[in-house]
Amino acid sequence: MRASNTQCLGFLLFLIGVLQCKALARYTFVVEETPYKRLCSTKNILTVNGQFPGPTLYVHKGDTIIVDVYNKAKYNITIHWHGVKQPRYPWSDGPEYITQCPIQPGAKFSQKVIFSMEEGTLWWHAHSDWSRATVHGAIVIYPKKNSSYPFPKPDAEVPIILGEWWKKPIMEVYHEMLRTGGDPNVSDAYTINGQPGDLYPCSKQDTFKLRVEQGKTYLLRIINAAMQDLLFFSIANHSVTVVATDASYTKPLTRDIITISPGQTIDVLLKANQNPDHYYMAARVYSSALGVAYDNTTTTAVVEYSGKYAPTSPTPLPQLPYYNDTSASVNFTGSLRSLASDEHPIDVPKNITNHFIFTISVNSFPCPNNSCAGPNGTRLAASVNNISFTNPSIDILQAYYYGIKGVFGTRLPSFPPYIFNFTADDLPLDLETPKRGTEAKVLKYNSTVDLVFQGTNLEAGTDHPIHLHGYSFYVVGWGFGNFDLKKDPLDYNLVDPPLQNTIAVPKNGWTTIRFRADNPGVWFMHCHIERHLTWGMDTAFIVRNGVPPNTHLLSPPPDMPPC
């Protein structure tokens, strides 16, 4: 039977109404150079909307938003929504030459950001060269409307963004590192919400201040946006209770000190339960690599109680661990557990279809006449299973989607190509040179992955915070030394392992993660220490489509940036 004109008109109006109801919240990000003064001198930095750190995005679980990114800077730019799964839609994920070509100066890209299971704190940042040093900001994901936190509602919530500051323009630091082949210059300061704090010159007046009332509870949404370093964080005379990490709830964990990796987010509850006074919150480096320079400074902010009183002088400073205190770092990280409640269940893969072991190493390439600034005149590099990743000329996602040949390979080894004592003190020099390549790992849809990251002591053993795009994963085990395939899996935590998107593999140790490959597309995996990423400690997973249409990669938007 043919529908009447009235019926058709009614259906059309219904569709228009549905579309209007589904209108997405829209945000504008203008990337531009802005003068900022820190440490007694002014320089131009890349900012979003003139802000450093950039604007905070506030959404609810399950929301989808559009962010119009305008590049008014002189550098290429991309924006990554760190920890956002982006189901079936890697087109807006952001890493240059992996899921898109960069947004060129004067161009625009409208990025659709699809929130699904995430709840808590994430962040966004540039993913092009080293521009994320100043191009970053928080993402606050509230529970669904009419839902609540799995802990008493705090009296206030505050993002705490930890960062780094160089007196030199960051692109000069980056290009100098590429030119010399050695380590980059270390930062001149760490920052809390963009400010170095009282212990640095010309900084006291603008130190970030958190004003609290005695008896109230504050949710601190802590983000490590630093480029090169894991950080210890503490508040003098106060403990904090961890309630979430990487936008996934945890069992409450009360500590005086937390360790937070670059890329990681940790939500903590701070109870203002001390005598009214001023107290420093502080962060400083955790750096475990022998012979590698590090920024030995401490950034501070001030927790100020309300009321009339004479503040203690000097302001109490927390006792942070020594810069290379590995036990302090792993004791915190290894104590995290998923909440695993009825309202927030977990689903750890038990039947594994893909077992992988990836060595993650700092390496070196020889230079003519030993002319580079790396060890023994070499050029520093990094690798995954002895392949140092090279960016292709166009992005891998585009090449995969359109079947363009010759852009990337799919031969990333599943296991280390060379077996040796990975964590020995003295290793043969011939193991230090990796192969260059653009190799990815292909996964079938809905397959399950057990992946061991094995650190090595080539060149410099250190911690590696590994981040996987498009997924959160369960951290089921970790340890020091060489992974033992027979013994170590017997101690895996398959009951309540933490669900994270970034995990620090301990120095000369290993970490095992598990996830289900249920998000089709191309997804970057890399060390979140920026120099290691630049040197090649990265790869990509390509997850094939499933059979039903709702398990297929979605089509690209019409305004993808050209190469």
Side-chain angles (χ1 to χ4, degrees):
M1 183 187 303
R2 182 174 296 174
S4 69
N5 289 340
T6 303
Q7 288 174 315
C8 289
L9 180 59
F11 182 68
L12 181 60
L13 291 172
F14 168 78
L15 281 180
I16 292 172
V18 168
L19 290 173
Q20 287 175 337
C21 288
K22 288 185 173 289
L24 304 180
R26 203 159 197 132
Y27 300 86
T28 298
F29 276 17
V30 178
V31 180
E32 58 193 345
E33 286 197 319
T34 308
Y36 267 75
K37 184 177 182 179
R38 297 288 185 274
L39 307 180
C40 313
S41 61
T42 300
K43 68 172 184 176
N44 283 341
I45 63 171
L46 282 183
T47 63
V48 167
N49 301 348
Q51 301 175 43
F52 168 66
T56 299
L57 295 177
Y58 295 92
V59 299
H60 285 85
K61 181 178 178 179
D63 283 356
T64 297
I65 63 173
I66 300 290
V67 183
D68 296 313
V69 180
Y70 295 84
N71 186 3
K72 294 190 176 180
K74 59 184 178 183
Y75 302 102
N76 289 340
I77 202 74
T78 65
I79 303 292
H80 167 54
W81 320 96
H82 185 113
V84 180
K85 187 176 180 180
Q86 295 280 47
R88 303 166 55 206
Y89 199 75
W91 304 103
S92 283
D93 189 48
E96 69 175 354
Y97 300 112
I98 305 299
T99 60
Q100 70 171 85
C101 292
I103 308 167
Q104 297 173 16
K108 170 203 171 190
F109 181 30
S110 296
Q111 295 186 247
K112 182 163 66 173
V113 187
I114 306 170
F115 297 92
S116 53
M117 301 306 296
E118 309 87 4
E119 189 173 325
T121 306
L122 293 174
W123 64 303
W124 57 265
H125 61 80
H127 218 305
S128 176
D129 295 333
W130 282 15
S131 48
R132 82 167 176 87
T134 54
V135 180
H136 58 252
I139 303 174
V140 173
I141 309 164
Y142 294 119
K144 285 187 175 180
K145 291 172 183 176
N146 301 320
S147 297
S148 60
Y149 299 128
F151 47 82
K153 185 177 179 180
D155 295 288
E157 305 181 12
V158 185
I160 301 291
I161 302 177
L162 309 177
E164 282 181 278
W165 183 269
W166 281 259
K167 291 181 181 178
K168 270 188 174 182
I170 191 63
M171 289 306 182
E172 285 187 21
V173 178
Y174 169 67
H175 289 296
E176 183 178 4
M177 183 198 74
L178 294 181
R179 180 181 60 80
T180 66
D183 264 312
N185 290 341
V186 299
S187 54
D188 297 291
Y190 297 108
T191 57
I192 296 177
N193 287 351
Q195 296 293 342
D198 290 0
L199 306 185
Y200 297 90
C202 306
S203 302
K204 188 176 182 67
Q205 180 179 348
D206 296 313
T207 295
F208 175 73
K209 296 174 177 62
L210 174 62
R211 291 181 171 86
V212 301
E213 292 183 35
Q214 191 179 37
K216 291 191 174 181
T217 299
Y218 298 82
L219 176 61
L220 307 185
R221 299 178 177 272
I222 307 172
I223 298 164
N224 186 350
M227 295 284 283
Q228 309 293 4
D229 292 316
L230 289 76
L231 295 169
F232 291 122
F233 173 91
S234 185
I235 300 173
N237 296 9
H238 293 74
S239 59
V240 295
T241 300
V242 178
V243 291
T245 179
D246 289 351
S248 179
Y249 293 119
T250 63
K251 289 182 171 65
L253 176 68
T254 300
R255 287 288 188 270
D256 294 333
I257 297 161
I258 70 168
T259 312
I260 184 164
S261 301
Q264 193 176 27
T265 66
I266 298 179
D267 293 357
V268 304
L269 295 175
L270 167 66
K271 292 185 177 180
N273 56 8
Q274 297 299 302
N275 293 328
D277 207 337
H278 291 183
Y279 301 89
Y280 277 132
M281 69 170 65
R284 77 175 182 199
V285 70
Y286 162 56
S287 178
S288 61
L290 291 175
V292 176
Y294 61 93
D295 182 343
N296 194 27
T297 62
T298 301
T299 181
T300 57
V302 182
V303 177
E304 293 186 354
Y305 279 71
S306 61
K308 293 183 178 181
Y309 56 87
T312 300
S313 182
T315 303
L317 191 68
Q319 292 295 313
L320 290 164
Y322 199 52
Y323 78 94
N324 62 356
D325 191 339
T326 295
S327 64
S329 174
V330 298
N331 285 346
F332 171 78
T333 303
S335 298
L336 295 169
R337 298 287 183 271
S338 281
L339 184 57
S341 65
D342 290 341
E343 295 79 14
H344 299 279
I346 62 171
D347 183 18
V348 186
K350 304 292 200 319
N351 298 316
I352 303 299
T353 53
N354 294 293
H355 290 273
F356 302 138
I357 299 177
F358 288 178
T359 51
I360 46 178
S361 306
V362 175
N363 308 91
S364 61
F365 288 113
C367 287
N369 303 316
N370 298 328
S371 57
C372 293
N376 302 312
T378 61
R379 172 174 293 277
L380 284 166
S383 65
V384 176
N385 270 355
N386 207 47
I387 294 180
S388 185
F389 189 85
T390 304
N391 277 344
S393 56
I394 65 170
D395 60 282
I396 293 176
L397 177 59
Q398 180 184 171
Y400 168 67
Y401 187 79
Y402 293 109
I404 302 170
K405 304 295 183 183
V407 174
F408 65 93
T410 57
R411 295 183 178 179
L412 181 76
S414 298
F415 300 96
Y418 305 113
I419 303 299
F420 55 96
N421 183 356
F422 301 115
T423 58
D425 289 335
D426 295 304
L427 292 169
L429 291 178
D430 59 358
L431 293 172
E432 293 180 358
T433 304
K435 297 178 180 178
R436 288 187 174 95
T438 309
E439 299 292 338
K441 176 63 71 178
V442 178
L443 301 174
K444 290 183 179 179
Y445 180 82
N446 220 30
S447 60
T448 52
V449 176
D450 179 287
L451 169 54
V452 179
F453 296 110
Q454 173 67 62
T456 80
N457 205 29
L458 293 171
E459 293 295 358
T462 189
D463 296 68
H464 295 292
I466 302 295
H467 171 50
L468 177 58
H469 293 222
Y471 288 88
S472 289
F473 47 74
Y474 293 100
V475 182
V476 298
W478 67 275
F480 292 111
N482 300 314
F483 176 74
D484 188 317
L485 187 58
K486 292 183 179 178
K487 295 180 180 178
D488 289 326
L490 299 177
D491 294 324
Y492 282 174
N493 175 11
L494 304 180
V495 177
D496 58 356
L499 182 64
Q500 299 178 250
N501 63 59
T502 306
I503 183 61
V505 180
K507 175 184 177 178
N508 289 341
W510 57 270
T511 297
T512 304
I513 68 170
R514 287 189 177 185
F515 65 95
R516 182 178 298 277
D518 57 1
N519 191 13
V522 174
W523 304 106
F524 202 27
M525 190 195 79
H526 61 92
C527 182
H528 224 278
I529 292 176
E530 210 68 12
R531 63 187 186 276
H532 295 171
L533 186 159
T534 302
W535 292 340
M537 194 179 288
D538 32 308
T539 185
F541 284 105
I542 298 175
V543 180
R544 300 286 194 191
N545 287 337
V547 175
N550 66 353
T551 61
H552 290 187
L553 175 63
L554 295 170
S555 301
D559 63 337
M560 287 298 298
C563 289

